[in-house]
Amino acid sequence: MPAPSTAVLVVHPLVLLLGFLLYWAGARRSYLRRPPVVPGDPALFDWHFFVPCRDEEAVVGTTVTRLRADFPTADVWVIDDDSDDGTGAVVEALAADDPRVHLVRRRRPDARTGKGAALNAAYDRLGAFLPEGTDRSRVVVCVVDADGRLDPRALELVSGPAAFGDPDVGGVQIGVRMRNAGDPRPFPERGRPVNAAARLLVRVQDMEFAVSNAGMQLLRNRTGSTGLGGNGQFTRLGALDRIGAAERRPWRRGALLEDYELGLHMLLAGYRTTHVADTWVSQEALPSARRLLTQRTRWAQGNLQCVRYAPRIVASRHVPGRGVLETLYTFVQPLAHLVTLALSVFLLGVLAVGLVRGQDTGVTATLSAQWPLLLVLAAVSVAPFVLWGPVYRRDHAPDASFVRSLLWGLALWLYAYHLFVVSARAFGRMLRGRNGWAKTRRNAEPATAGPVALES
């Protein structure tokens, strides 16, 4: 029997692994057995795209032009968050020739205070633009990244009876794909080893969103706690109005995960949220580990900020019990990563001290006695990631070999360890009072192009 001081080293990973396996099994089942999406009639709704921009001159023109070509009856609202480049001029030129393109200009000191504040500015402009007496429950807002590309079938599928065809649905999130997953040279100026690592990093991000995260969201459809994301987020204007009345603004100013927080507010306001996996918005994956860690640190810190909603979620009469459990599980993930990291550091420290002193410690004895269990735990923790590989191959990379798909799954397992790093960095930022937000630099954007997130 392990000593009390070392029992936690066995019990803690067992509890975490059990929770992970239950969640993974539910997500995998939800993904593999998802019902076909019944399309609806987009003509029943009034569509408006919000495109928040800060220094997006290189991509915004293409994005707006594509949105207008694919969705000719929709309006596009581009929020220029006081860009230092020619973003505003590009959009202004497009708006001069197209009355459905609108430029929302923001200036410092009000600008550059986060994506939520930029979206609220567009919400205000849209409210002033719509004719008096508009049925705002029939107006749908979609947030698209400045480099986002939306599936031309998207409006048809999110109009269906399981989405906005149901008046109780306030928000719909669609799937996200990485359009550079097949890029053979993410860094054209670098050598083969660097590009091989970058290709793999891009690929596992595509796997993460296309199957793993999609399965998680489809599971949330069943638990009644579907989350909203920052790209491909559809919301009913009437629901935004209700949230704005209760929370002062639809999107929370200063939030690092303003998209996920909006989904929580939807649930608390009595609306349903849902995920439609059969349509998608594409974006660029990050081939740079440095920029990826910066982006994910912001996400992890935003997740930690959301813990304050736990009492409201638990007390809400609108969130079912299984949705409460799923939401609390999501909230606790960064904290669980921190505890695991701390225990791992402690374990390595004890082993190192024992090795230097030539002493046998209780930890060493416990681990030696439990090695068969630890081996089983290691195998069971790796298998779920590996099993996503063939699913991803079937749906998104049919030209790849089965063996390669298993190797991709193994890479996805290794990639998941970045969560421990970003959780620790996020916690450190919170302790230092650092809650600032900086946009992630585009792959083609030079490192000297303005205030973008590099490593802070």
Side-chain angles (χ1 to χ4, degrees):
M1 185 73 178
S5 60
T6 58
V8 67
L9 299 175
V10 176
V11 174
H12 177 75
L14 277 174
V15 172
L16 286 185
L17 181 58
L18 178 60
F20 165 72
L21 290 176
L22 289 174
Y23 201 88
W24 168 81
R28 182 178 173 85
R29 178 183 175 88
S30 299
Y31 182 91
L32 294 176
R33 299 193 179 186
R34 66 188 186 276
V37 176
V38 178
D41 183 4
L44 297 176
F45 301 93
D46 184 16
W47 303 92
H48 295 266
F49 294 106
F50 285 3
V51 185
C53 292
R54 184 199 296 182
D55 302 321
E56 302 285 9
E57 178 184 3
V59 295
V60 67
T62 300
T63 299
V64 173
T65 301
R66 182 178 290 107
L67 287 172
R68 290 291 299 120
D70 291 342
F71 311 103
T73 63
D75 285 71
V76 180
W77 300 79
V78 180
I79 309 104
D80 177 16
D81 204 27
D82 203 3
S83 297
D84 290 326
D85 65 0
T87 296
V90 170
V91 179
E92 202 168 39
L94 293 171
D97 296 328
D98 187 343
R100 287 189 176 271
V101 176
H102 314 270
L103 175 61
V104 180
R105 288 190 182 274
R106 288 170 52 77
R107 289 290 180 260
R108 281 169 275 200
D110 296 325
R112 294 181 178 255
T113 55
K115 187 176 177 182
L119 293 172
N120 285 329
Y123 165 80
D124 290 339
R125 281 284 301 274
L126 175 58
F129 170 82
L130 294 174
E132 188 175 350
T134 296
D135 182 358
R136 294 166 76 95
S137 68
R138 293 286 180 180
V139 178
V140 178
V141 169
C142 175
V143 178
V144 179
D145 281 355
D147 68 337
R149 298 180 186 176
L150 200 62
D151 176 11
R153 305 175 307 139
L155 303 192
E156 183 180 348
L157 293 184
V158 301
S159 300
F164 286 118
D166 180 349
D168 292 331
V169 170
V172 177
Q173 178 62 45
I174 63 174
V176 177
R177 298 182 186 174
M178 303 298 156
R179 63 172 171 270
N180 56 334
D183 186 355
R185 293 186 64 82
F187 295 113
E189 74 286 357
R190 307 289 291 276
R192 288 185 179 181
V194 171
N195 276 283
R199 283 197 304 271
L200 187 58
L201 183 59
V202 168
R203 180 65 67 178
V204 293
Q205 288 173 72
D206 194 41
M207 291 180 66
E208 175 189 25
F209 279 91
V211 291
S212 179
N213 285 4
M216 177 181 68
Q217 286 280 65
L218 291 167
L219 172 63
R220 289 171 170 175
N221 281 356
R222 296 186 176 191
T223 61
S225 55
T226 308
L228 297 181
N231 195 14
Q233 168 200 118
F234 290 80
T235 51
R236 198 185 295 270
L237 186 60
L240 294 178
D241 293 338
R242 184 183 298 183
I243 294 169
E247 308 289 341
R248 293 191 297 179
R249 309 295 290 157
W251 285 275
R252 184 175 176 275
R253 180 186 176 97
L256 295 178
L257 276 186
E258 83 295 325
D259 41 21
Y260 184 69
E261 290 198 27
L262 179 67
L264 295 177
H265 287 306
M266 284 273 180
L267 299 177
L268 293 170
Y271 286 97
R272 287 201 309 109
T273 54
T274 191
H275 181 80
V276 178
D278 291 348
T279 187
W280 46 266
V281 63
S282 73
Q283 62 189 46
E284 281 191 325
L286 297 175
S288 163
R290 184 184 182 189
R291 281 190 287 142
L292 177 74
L293 290 176
T294 299
Q295 179 194 68
R296 300 308 172 88
T297 297
R298 171 163 53 89
W299 293 3
Q301 188 174 356
N303 199 335
L304 288 169
Q305 290 178 342
C306 288
V307 173
R308 65 176 175 268
Y309 289 100
R312 295 177 62 183
I313 293 293
V314 171
S316 175
R317 61 185 177 86
H318 299 301
V319 184
R322 58 186 181 275
V324 171
L325 290 176
E326 191 282 326
T327 304
L328 294 180
Y329 178 83
T330 299
F331 287 170
V332 82
Q333 288 307 294
L335 300 176
H337 295 146
L338 284 172
V339 173
T340 302
L341 189 60
L343 287 175
S344 299
V345 171
F346 170 76
L347 173 61
L348 291 175
V350 170
L351 292 175
V353 169
L355 184 63
V356 170
R357 294 181 177 179
Q359 298 174 347
D360 187 16
T361 65
V363 173
T364 305
T366 298
L367 294 179
S368 298
Q370 300 293 333
W371 72 264
L373 175 61
L374 295 176
L375 190 61
V376 171
L377 290 178
V380 172
S381 66
V382 174
F385 294 96
V386 174
L387 290 175
W388 277 125
V391 176
Y392 173 77
R393 169 181 175 262
R394 184 196 68 181
D395 293 347
H396 301 285
D399 294 336
S401 67
F402 180 76
V403 172
R404 173 168 288 191
S405 74
L406 294 178
L407 293 175
W408 283 343
L410 188 63
L412 183 65
W413 165 67
L414 293 172
Y415 166 79
Y417 281 94
H418 83 275
L419 295 172
F420 296 94
V421 177
V422 300
S423 295
R425 295 182 72 193
F427 187 68
R429 281 178 58 87
M430 291 186 70
L431 290 179
R432 297 194 303 272
R434 298 181 62 184
N435 298 303
W437 182 92
K439 85 178 186 77
T440 305
R441 179 165 57 90
R442 304 294 178 199
N443 292 336
E445 188 176 0
T448 56
V452 296
L454 297 175
E455 82 298 322
S456 60

